Amino acid sequence: MRLKTLLALLLALTASAVLYAQQSLKTFSPSGYIQLETVLNNTGELQYRLLFKNKEAVGLSSLGLRLSTPAIELNRFSVVNIDSTSKDETWETVWGEDHRIRNNYREIAYLLQNKSSTPVKLRIVFRVFNDGVGFRYEFPQQDALHHFVVADELTGFAMTGDHKTFWIPGDYDTNEYAYYTSPLSKIDASGGGSAQEIHAKTFFDKNAVQTPLMMKSADGLYLNIHEAALLNYPAMNLVLDKATLKFHTQLVPDAVGNKAYLQTPAKTPWRTVLVSDKAPDILSSRTILNLNDPSVIGDSSWIHPQKYVGIWWEMHVGKSSWDYSGSQVGSQQATRVPHGANTANVKRYIDFAARHGFDGVLVEGWNTGWEDWFGQWKEDVFDFVTPYPDFNVQELSDYAKSKKVKIIMHHETSGSVTNYERWMDTAYRFMKRYNYDAVKTGYVGRIIPRGEHHDGQWMVRHFERVARKTAGYKIMVNMHESVRLTGLHRTFPNWIASEAARGNEFNAWSSGNPPEHETILPFTRLMGGPMDYTPGIFKIKMSYYDSTKKEQVHTTLTKQLALYVTMYSPLQMAADLPENYEANLPAFQFIKDVAADWEETRILDAEPGDYIITARKARGKDSWFIGAITDESARQFTTSLHFLDAGKTYIATIYRDADNADWKSNPEAYVVEKFVVTAKMALKLKLAPGGGTAISLLPATAAETKGIKKYK
Ligand code: NOJ
Ligand code: CA
């Protein structure tokens, strides 16, 4: 007993912010494994360093900002005051990977005064969590500084070795790149800007990459750099100095080259570094969410996770068109295909959704403007309230209601955000009139106001405005071509998903997403929040639709099923055509059964770029689901079911690759097997090249398990 008390005392002492040397402070995470060192050097520069279990994870790195109006460098300081505090609380999510999240950190905050002729006060706040650190700049209200323009942020991230890095080129407009894997020293983004079939890209430096950036050091540390709570500020890109392996920050500029226009009191987003010696810890981290503010939505009962189908993939595979005239968007081709969003076809999807228990039916191409769309950089293209003549809004609204299904609205802005902002209220009122409660927005093409970028402050403010305004109308929103996510779904839980990365759609009409893609995305893009990846494609090869086509989905069929568990989103599409599901009901059953909202999540095993095995428990239920995916290599795993309720018996339905399956040569071959299992068992998983296994684990009574074999 006494020893325990003594130990606790010792721990408390070493773990708090201890004055180490005159100029250097150490702040330990509650667990003691993570150590942040903040150092004020002789010239007044404040720098930080991060250690994990005494190993250096981030070397001594710079902090500060450069303002242009007034012109001041904020990087030489005298310390006014240092505060430290800590927090340990648990909060409930509206929806999410976990029902309850623990927010446990130690904080140290420096109040600094700039050493220039115009002394300005700046706070730098650090929070040290058990899996990493977050820090941000805060500008208190003060006489010396009211309005100001940020010219550059001087935050650095010094890497301590030539880490294996999963990166996409830095870009001001798009994150829809396929990932590159290379040592830091071999990053070369110059080729990355070409041949990736992306409509609007603004590549700016061959040494620039985007966050979330995932790295692995030679001695087995997993590192992830990103940001949290990106509001009223541009997104951060990282530019590597290859000689020193230090990253510096490159904020996305506006049309005249400025980065951010702020007024005191103001604060930047949090810069985050996550670190662990276990890859699953990165995926399990909730630090980015914890650094975001609680929900601003009081009554969130109208927000509901859901699965949906839609008039969507049929356009992407070229079977129908968005455009009423039947021409394919973006092509001058003479061959016409039917207009997809016609009343009869929408009813067919509504029937399908109702029959199989889906909540939503997305309909794209319902409104006028598509004939005028694509690459024009034209201001007025869509009005968001005028349907094509063959889309009967009232009739479909009534029909959907009678079938207890909701149509999901689609607003393609064509990048003309000025136009969209003029229409927003009218468009949301139109939605309410016809009983829509969710909208998918899109920002394909270059932004208007011309010269603005998708990831600049102007657009970041627009995305926030959309989140707030839709919330005011009790509308859920899913944003495509938005800025990368930074955990803002905690604050705006009606912002239920975004695309903001290379989605499954690329497999329909481009070189596509290589088999490793989905083993990287959870470590990168999804660190910031849910992605509308649109999994569930059963017809893998596009030659099925047109024998001249070479494109294909780069996975097996059962990997598409596993993605419902791997790729977290409260909004999950069953993206393939109804007829492809009807022809494959045994596999479709998994999509019908899988949950979209979770009580808890366990990352059972993972290695970025190679494989991920995820288990999740359905929220408010006793059922569990497992998704296991691999890259282009076949892999085998033994997966323990220890997380199941010890007292219960479950029926495991295993959807696996057939023995001869292969993403390239035989992608649609699968086997469905049922077994009786308990928490004491372990399952042997065999994943084909580019393959995956999906498993549902539903608690069962003795009567229900009759005739089903025990797993051996
Ligand atoms: C790109 C989006 O990602 C896709 O889902 C949508 O169908 C098209 N834009 C058209 O808006
Ligand atoms: Ca897109």
Side-chain angles (χ1 to χ4, degrees):
M1 196 65 183
R2 281 186 73 186
L3 189 71
K4 257 196 186 161
T5 328
L6 199 78
L7 267 174
L9 213 100
L10 264 173
L11 266 174
L13 273 176
T14 46
S16 63
V18 170
L19 203 55
Y20 174 69
Q22 217 182 354
Q23 309 284 28
S24 160
L25 286 177
K26 289 183 177 188
T27 309
F28 289 84
S29 62
S31 65
Y33 290 150
I34 300 218
Q35 180 186 332
L36 171 83
E37 191 179 357
T38 39
V39 182
L40 191 76
N41 70 18
N42 298 336
T43 62
E45 286 173 304
L46 184 67
Q47 296 176 305
Y48 75 97
R49 203 161 80 99
L50 194 68
L51 288 92
F52 176 82
K53 294 185 181 166
N54 293 321
K55 254 190 225 168
E56 196 170 49
V58 178
L60 213 52
S61 298
S62 57
L63 294 162
L65 295 118
R66 198 164 59 78
L67 311 187
S68 61
T69 319
I72 340 177
E73 289 232 334
L74 295 173
N75 63 347
R76 299 267 193 285
F77 306 102
S78 47
V79 175
V80 179
N81 185 24
I82 300 174
D83 273 337
S84 66
T85 164
S86 66
K87 188 158 218 155
D88 189 0
E89 59 171 13
T90 297
W91 56 279
E92 273 189 39
T93 57
V94 173
W95 43 258
E97 295 179 84
D98 298 294
H99 194 161
R100 285 178 193 81
I101 291 178
R102 185 168 177 194
N103 180 25
N104 185 16
Y105 62 80
R106 293 233 163 79
E107 177 178 299
I108 176 159
Y110 282 77
L111 181 61
L112 303 162
Q113 175 145 309
N114 187 41
K115 278 188 171 173
S116 72
S117 49
T118 0
V120 159
K121 285 206 174 71
L122 178 71
R123 270 185 105 225
I124 307 184
V125 182
F126 301 87
R127 288 187 183 166
V128 188
F129 297 82
N130 287 336
D131 53 19
V133 64
F135 58 91
R136 74 173 172 198
Y137 305 97
E138 298 179 356
F139 297 87
Q141 198 160 352
Q142 52 194 293
D143 288 340
L145 192 69
H146 295 286
H147 296 90
F148 61 103
V149 177
V150 176
D152 268 312
E153 188 179 310
L154 307 175
T155 309
F157 301 89
M159 298 298 100
T160 57
D162 197 7
H163 306 330
K164 179 181 186 184
T165 306
F166 303 87
W167 57 274
I168 56 174
D171 198 296
Y172 298 156
D173 277 291
T174 186
N175 25 47
E176 299 192 1
Y177 291 104
Y179 286 89
Y180 296 83
T181 307
S182 78
L184 282 166
S185 61
K186 295 274 159 42
I187 286 175
D188 179 2
S190 53
S194 60
Q196 292 225 8
E197 302 106 340
I198 301 167
H199 189 55
K201 7 176 220 264
T202 309
F203 155 78
F204 61 92
D205 189 318
K206 69 178 175 33
N207 293 320
V209 295
Q210 297 191 36
T211 73
L213 185 70
M214 186 66 213
M215 288 165 282
K216 185 184 183 183
S217 74
D219 55 358
L221 281 194
Y222 296 87
L223 283 154
N224 187 284
I225 304 181
H226 191 37
E227 57 182 310
L230 171 58
L231 289 169
N232 195 23
Y233 202 77
M236 171 180 75
N237 284 278
L238 299 174
V239 183
L240 184 70
D241 175 353
K242 296 244 176 77
T244 59
L245 298 181
K246 285 183 179 164
F247 283 112
H248 72 259
T249 301
Q250 169 73 27
L251 300 175
V252 175
D254 75 349
V256 297
N258 288 326
K259 306 296 168 35
Y261 302 80
L262 300 174
Q263 179 185 0
T264 55
K267 48 191 188 244
T268 68
W270 297 92
R271 276 61 188 97
T272 61
V273 183
L274 304 177
V275 54
S276 178
D277 49 5
K278 292 181 201 73
D281 288 352
I282 302 292
L283 299 179
S284 306
S285 173
R286 303 292 176 248
T287 287
I288 288 172
L289 271 179
N290 280 328
L291 288 167
N292 276 271
D293 285 339
S295 172
V296 295
I297 299 173
D299 165 26
S300 48
S301 58
W302 51 276
I303 300 169
H304 46 94
Q306 60 181 290
K307 290 178 282 185
Y308 72 105
V309 295
I311 300 193
W312 182 75
W313 189 245
E314 59 175 69
M315 279 90 93
H316 284 273
V317 302
K319 265 193 88 163
S320 69
S321 69
W322 284 271
D323 177 346
Y324 183 59
S325 74
S327 68
Q328 287 293 328
V329 167
S331 82
Q332 305 298 322
Q333 75 190 48
T335 43
R336 302 268 145 153
V337 290
H339 172 227
N342 66 75
T343 302
N345 199 29
V346 178
K347 283 188 174 171
R348 186 170 73 94
Y349 275 80
I350 292 174
D351 289 341
F352 177 77
R355 189 154 62 242
H356 295 290
F358 288 84
D359 302 286
V361 176
L362 168 71
V363 183
E364 295 199 359
W366 68 277
N367 60 328
T368 59
W370 294 89
E371 61 289 341
D372 191 21
W373 187 56
F374 217 72
Q376 306 306 323
W377 215 10
K378 183 167 175 283
E379 187 150 15
D380 299 321
V381 174
F382 294 102
D383 71 10
F384 315 97
V385 292
T386 310
Y388 280 130
D390 60 347
F391 180 90
N392 191 324
V393 194
Q394 186 66 59
E395 186 182 334
L396 285 168
S397 165
D398 295 342
Y399 192 73
K401 203 171 193 172
S402 76
K403 297 278 177 173
K404 298 195 168 55
V405 166
K406 295 255 189 196
I407 306 179
I408 298 176
M409 176 50 80
H410 184 227
H411 291 162
E412 174 54 65
T413 67
S414 68
S416 177
V417 187
T418 43
N419 180 50
Y420 189 49
E421 294 222 348
R422 289 194 282 266
W423 279 103
M424 261 155 43
D425 279 294
T426 311
Y428 301 147
R429 280 197 294 266
F430 177 90
M431 282 179 61
K432 294 313 269 191
R433 186 167 342 124
Y434 293 106
N435 204 33
Y436 292 59
D437 70 351
V439 59
K440 168 181 172 179
T441 58
Y443 298 85
V444 174
R446 284 180 290 170
I447 296 297
I448 300 178
R450 296 184 186 86
E452 292 299 335
H453 295 293
H454 284 76
D455 297 348
Q457 184 191 23
W458 197 90
M459 282 302 287
V460 165
R461 289 174 59 90
H462 168 75
F463 297 127
E464 179 187 350
R465 205 141 52 232
V466 171
R468 286 183 189 275
K469 200 176 262 297
T470 48
Y473 287 94
K474 299 200 170 169
I475 288 173
M476 296 171 273
V477 60
N478 164 24
M479 304 186 197
H480 277 230
E481 296 83 35
S482 75
V483 69
R484 64 210 70 140
L485 297 198
T486 58
L488 286 169
H489 50 293
R490 178 175 181 194
T491 312
F492 307 110
N494 67 312
W495 185 348
I496 46 176
S498 273
E499 184 192 41
R502 194 175 179 90
N504 222 3
E505 66 187 26
F506 276 81
N507 283 316
W509 37 254
S510 82
S511 55
N513 307 340
E516 65 172 12
H517 191 59
E518 298 91 352
T519 69
I520 300 174
L521 277 175
F523 285 98
T524 53
R525 158 65 182 80
L526 274 90
M527 292 303 298
M531 177 172 179
D532 185 29
Y533 189 68
T534 68
I537 302 304
F538 282 10
K539 274 288 154 222
I540 300 288
K541 303 221 176 195
M542 298 309 122
S543 54
Y544 174 77
Y545 300 102
D546 171 348
S547 58
T548 65
K549 284 193 175 170
K550 299 263 182 298
E551 291 81 6
Q552 77 159 98
V553 174
H554 296 66
T555 74
T556 63
L557 187 150
T558 51
K559 181 169 170 183
Q560 288 290 309
L561 296 180
L563 293 180
Y564 287 90
V565 186
T566 314
M567 306 284 281
Y568 170 65
S569 179
L571 181 73
Q572 287 285 17
M573 187 176 204
D576 211 334
L577 312 180
E579 52 271 37
N580 294 340
Y581 290 135
E582 302 274 16
N584 251 313
L585 290 174
F588 187 49
Q589 190 61 42
F590 182 80
I591 305 180
K592 292 173 66 168
D593 290 341
V594 71
D597 195 18
W598 306 102
E599 191 65 38
E600 63 169 292
T601 289
R602 308 269 183 109
I603 307 297
L604 302 179
D605 204 353
E607 183 62 31
D610 292 345
Y611 58 87
I612 301 176
I613 308 176
T614 310
R616 303 191 200 263
K617 186 183 191 194
R619 189 168 293 201
K621 303 221 174 82
D622 286 326
S623 41
W624 283 81
F625 296 85
I626 297 178
I629 63 164
T630 177
D631 60 358
E632 67 290 342
S633 306
R635 289 177 205 274
Q636 296 190 30
F637 299 95
T638 303
T639 298
S640 153
L641 299 178
H642 62 276
F643 50 84
L644 293 179
D645 203 326
K648 287 201 172 78
T649 302
Y650 296 78
I651 297 177
T653 309
I654 303 179
Y655 303 76
R656 66 166 175 90
D657 296 312
D659 292 337
N660 58 354
D662 177 292
W663 71 274
K664 206 169 187 176
S665 58
N666 190 23
E668 292 175 19
Y670 69 92
V671 175
V672 182
E673 294 165 319
K674 271 188 200 297
F675 298 101
V676 173
V677 300
T678 65
K680 286 197 197 111
M681 297 179 179
L683 301 178
K684 289 208 160 55
L685 310 184
K686 212 174 143 216
L687 279 52
T693 301
I695 304 170
S696 65
L697 296 150
L698 311 179
T701 60
E704 285 164 335
T705 58
K706 243 203 184 124
I708 303 177
K709 267 191 266 163
K710 257 199 163 174
Y711 187 83
K712 265 203 223 99

